[in-house]
Amino acid sequence: MLSPFFFLLEQPMLKRLLTAALALAASMYGTVAHAQADPLSSWNDGPSKARIVAFVQAVTQPGGKDFVAPAERIAVFDNDGTLWSEQPMYFQLAFAIDRVQAVIEKNPDLAKRPSLRAAAKRDLKALAATGEKGIAELIAVTHAGTTSEEFAQIVRDWAKTAQHPTLKRPYTQLTYVPMRELLDYLRANGFKTYIVTGGGIEFVRVFSEELYGVPPEQVVGSTIKTKYEVRNGTPVIVRLPEIDFIDDKAGKPVGIHKFIGKRPIAAFGNSDGDFEMLEWTTSAPGARLGVLVHHDDAAREFAYDRTSHIGKLARGLDEGPKRGWTIVSIKNDWKAVYPAPR
Amino acid sequence: MLSPFFFLLEQPMLKRLLTAALALAASMYGTVAHAQADPLSSWNDGPSKARIVAFVQAVTQPGGKDFVAPAERIAVFDNDGTLWSEQPMYFQLAFAIDRVQAVIEKNPDLAKRPSLRAAAKRDLKALAATGEKGIAELIAVTHAGTTSEEFAQIVRDWAKTAQHPTLKRPYTQLTYVPMRELLDYLRANGFKTYIVTGGGIEFVRVFSEELYGVPPEQVVGSTIKTKYEVRNGTPVIVRLPEIDFIDDKAGKPVGIHKFIGKRPIAAFGNSDGDFEMLEWTTSAPGARLGVLVHHDDAAREFAYDRTSHIGKLARGLDEGPKRGWTIVSIKNDWKAVYPAPR
């Protein structure tokens, strides 16, 4: 019975599928096929890790009071500050600023606009001073006016060469190893993992599969309006300079409901922009998991919370523990932060 | 090796999973584990069926020039007129009309509005005469003002008792058997199947899993705006009386791009409202499948096309064949239309 299929195990995709099937079988029927290495080996033993593991065991325990059918095992992850870093500025803002320079080179007249001139000079203070109108201009010039396929290519090209200003590494290497382990661990236990980001959906989709194993259709995010048109016989989706939906704060449950149509049972964030997502996730009956990553490790990453201009975390620190949410300390809970430099 | 897991095969979910794994293995590696019954047994042999089967074999043939990796095997289906009937009116309009009566019973003042009075009397001509404003009123009164959970329950309750006006069967029994077979057949070959409907996303999600095996997160549709709020300590998603997005005509590629972020390789529709979806799907390089269901069977279903007020199909009939699209004749291609009455 085994031999005709054995060669298939050499194929990575089928191997992943069979591994998932066995893990699901194990999780559904309490059967463990073989002893496993610790799937959360980058996490220090402690209350955060114990809480996560206890939750997963509870919802996958067949016949247990907290058992959740696989179809309802929806886990949602914020991206900026939860799956990769967000300091000293959102990576997508770094992209916009890098891109505005390319755009101005092609069309120097644009440098007359204060917002774009400020962005081109990397003068964040001057950029902020141009207000909402200035930010809208920056988005219009850097994120719209192309087709969706062109935009994805622009982002891919940017990511190949762009470097974080202080860490001097490609942005794509600044993901958190313990969170990637967590994504894998949840998927091995029958969870469907989603990214729910305040960032642009088409920006994050470029990276989601490669960095996190999350396919594009499982990314929920902010959107700009787009338009379908046929150009010289070729259909394209054109990106328009108009905001469609902001997937942040109270927008996160709205985005989850619109895109997924199911209420998650686990939510992971790091800022007060994730508060409503965790609230929506954890306030329904049954076992629920809410986790906030607390950036308290200036030595290995960044330390910021209540007064930060990015990723502010105050209400979550105050109310989270009372609501049963887990506050993960990067300093104490994570053995590693970033992958080893390549 | 086999025996410790054999009992698991009794469990329907794992069985489905293993069946899917084997089907995927077969489709990826050209290995067929055992002879199968015809997965499209409700289709008559003929060019339509042959075209569909040839496409699926081409994109799943390992090493073939048209092979498509499973992650890119996205198939999109219109709902009204493609997966279930849409005459003499969209089933969702029937829902709105049934519901307006319940709403007016609770709040008789609403009957003063011409649109709602017309709907309550099932006078479609008078309703149409109230124009866009009237339809907007009807939607506001019947589709908004509740939480999303309440709305789903209202739809479920309606479906239990509502009957088609001429066929005298529950709407949920008016799905097309050959199209359900096709959904199963595509999934068994590693496709991810989506519904892309002009109807309301929250309406269709109530039925999608049970009727079509399509989970809620794989339904793309028209949306109204919603708002997250905390009512007496309980978070809810509230449905607002404002259109957010119309997933029809050129809106279908836009909706597909927004929700899925991938270009499908197969698209199934029945009206000119699906034209752009098929165009977008079939105009990229590689093997592509575009199918239009032609309603030409007055005896078993309905016969309508160029002049119909619902599901008008004219451009698709004229241009479809030149574009390589398959026109399915219900009369000639389908052995059965609806499931046998229960």
Side-chain angles (χ1 to χ4, degrees), chain B residues 137-152:
Chain B
E137 272 182 343
L138 180 63
I139 290 175
V141 164
T142 57
H143 284 72
T146 60
T147 70
S148 284
E149 288 174 1
E150 289 163 354
F151 180 75

Side-chain angles (χ1 to χ4, degrees), chain B residues 270-340:
Chain B
N270 76 298
S271 81
D272 285 348
D274 303 312
F275 191 93
E276 287 83 355
M277 176 169 82
L278 266 72
E279 180 177 62
W280 174 240
T281 300
T282 61
S283 58
R288 304 278 160 160
L289 181 66
V291 174
L292 287 170
V293 174
H294 186 200
H295 294 269
D296 59 359
D297 192 336
R300 295 189 300 174
E301 203 235 2
F302 301 96
Y304 59 98
D305 48 36
R306 294 177 183 277
T307 59
S308 178
H309 66 298
I310 288 173
K312 180 183 163 184
L313 179 63
R315 191 179 173 199
L317 286 179
D318 294 335
E319 295 186 29
K322 291 178 229 163
R323 290 168 178 254
W325 301 350
T326 299
I327 312 293
V328 165
S329 159
I330 292 184
K331 196 172 178 178
N332 300 322
D333 285 324
W334 289 1
K335 283 185 195 161
V337 177
Y338 300 129

Side-chain angles (χ1 to χ4, degrees), chain B residues 214-232:
Chain B
V214 173
E217 63 267 31
Q218 285 163 228
V219 177
V220 177
S222 297
T223 50
I224 62 174
K225 298 214 174 190
T226 65
K227 183 180 66 168
Y228 176 80
E229 65 180 45
V230 180
R231 287 182 175 171
N232 304 320

Side-chain angles (χ1 to χ4, degrees), chain B residues 205-217:
Chain B
R205 279 176 172 166
V206 168
F207 309 108
S208 63
E209 177 82 56
E210 188 188 334
L211 297 186
Y212 310 123
V214 173
E217 63 267 31

Side-chain angles (χ1 to χ4, degrees), chain A residues 8-336:
Chain A
L8 296 176
L9 292 174
E10 298 305 308
Q11 309 292 342
M13 168 126 358
L14 190 71
K15 193 170 176 182
R16 265 161 58 191
L17 192 69
L18 290 176
T19 305
L22 290 177
L24 186 57
S27 71
M28 290 172 68
Y29 305 102
T31 313
V32 177
H34 53 85
Q36 273 195 317
D38 180 0
L40 297 178
S41 61
S42 298
W43 291 71
N44 286 315
D45 291 326
S48 295
K49 179 176 179 175
R51 180 72 210 286
I52 292 167
V53 171
F55 166 79
V56 170
Q57 287 176 344
V59 299
T60 55
Q61 176 64 45
K65 72 173 174 54
D66 291 322
F67 179 79
V68 175
E72 302 301 322
R73 291 182 202 158
I74 304 289
V76 287
F77 288 79
D78 169 57
N79 185 39
D80 294 311
T82 299
L83 295 178
W84 71 5
S85 288
E86 62 184 351
Q87 296 287 1
M89 67 177 105
Y90 295 127
F91 295 176
Q92 192 173 356
L93 181 58
F95 161 76
I97 287 173
D98 287 346
R99 176 148 171 72
V100 84
Q101 294 178 311
V103 169
I104 284 178
E105 274 172 32
K106 284 196 184 170
N107 184 354
D109 268 7
L110 288 173
K112 289 176 189 163
R113 300 195 204 172
S115 63
L116 305 185
R117 192 170 57 239
K121 286 183 183 164
R122 300 181 178 277
D123 184 343
L124 295 182
K125 211 167 164 181
L127 175 61
T130 64
E132 274 189 26
K133 186 170 164 286
I135 300 290
E137 274 181 340
L138 181 63
I139 290 176
V141 164
T142 57
H143 283 72
T146 60
T147 70
S148 284
E149 288 175 1
E150 289 163 354
F151 181 74
Q153 191 56 49
I154 289 166
V155 175
R156 272 192 292 271
D157 289 344
W158 169 79
K160 279 180 206 156
T161 56
Q163 287 231 330
H164 188 277
T166 60
L167 300 172
K168 303 293 177 199
R169 294 179 65 179
Y171 291 104
T172 49
Q173 290 182 24
L174 298 176
T175 59
Y176 303 135
V177 170
M179 296 305 286
R180 291 170 62 166
E181 274 183 5
L182 189 48
L183 284 161
D184 285 338
Y185 172 61
L186 290 171
R187 287 190 289 255
N189 281 281
F191 279 78
K192 199 163 177 179
T193 53
Y194 283 83
I195 292 171
V196 177
T197 176
I201 199 168
E202 296 192 56
F203 181 81
V204 176
R205 279 176 172 166
V206 168
F207 309 109
S208 63
E209 177 82 55
E210 187 187 335
L211 297 186
Y212 310 123
V214 174
E217 64 267 33
Q218 285 163 226
V219 176
V220 177
S222 297
T223 49
I224 63 173
K225 297 213 174 193
T226 65
K227 182 178 66 166
Y228 176 79
E229 65 180 45
V230 180
R231 287 183 176 171
N232 304 320
T234 302
V236 290
I237 306 270
V238 182
R239 294 170 57 80
L240 305 176
E242 189 185 343
I243 298 291
D244 175 51
F245 174 65
I246 302 285
D247 189 56
D248 195 30
K249 301 189 175 70
K252 288 206 171 190
V254 166
I256 289 167
H257 183 70
K258 174 157 71 173
F259 281 75
I260 311 176
K262 289 176 177 173
R263 195 151 166 178
I265 64 168
F268 304 82
N270 77 297
S271 81
D272 286 347
D274 303 313
F275 192 93
E276 287 84 355
M277 177 169 81
L278 267 72
E279 180 177 63
W280 174 241
T281 299
T282 61
S283 59
R288 304 276 160 162
L289 181 66
V291 174
L292 287 170
V293 174
H294 187 199
H295 294 269
D296 59 359
D297 192 335
R300 295 188 300 172
E301 202 234 3
F302 301 96
Y304 59 99
D305 48 35
R306 294 176 183 277
T307 59
S308 177
H309 65 299
I310 287 172
K312 180 182 163 185
L313 180 64
R315 192 179 172 200
L317 286 178
D318 294 335
E319 294 185 29
K322 292 177 228 163
R323 291 170 179 253
W325 301 350
T326 300
I327 312 293
V328 165
S329 159
I330 291 184
K331 195 172 180 178
N332 300 322
D333 286 323
W334 290 0
K335 282 184 194 160

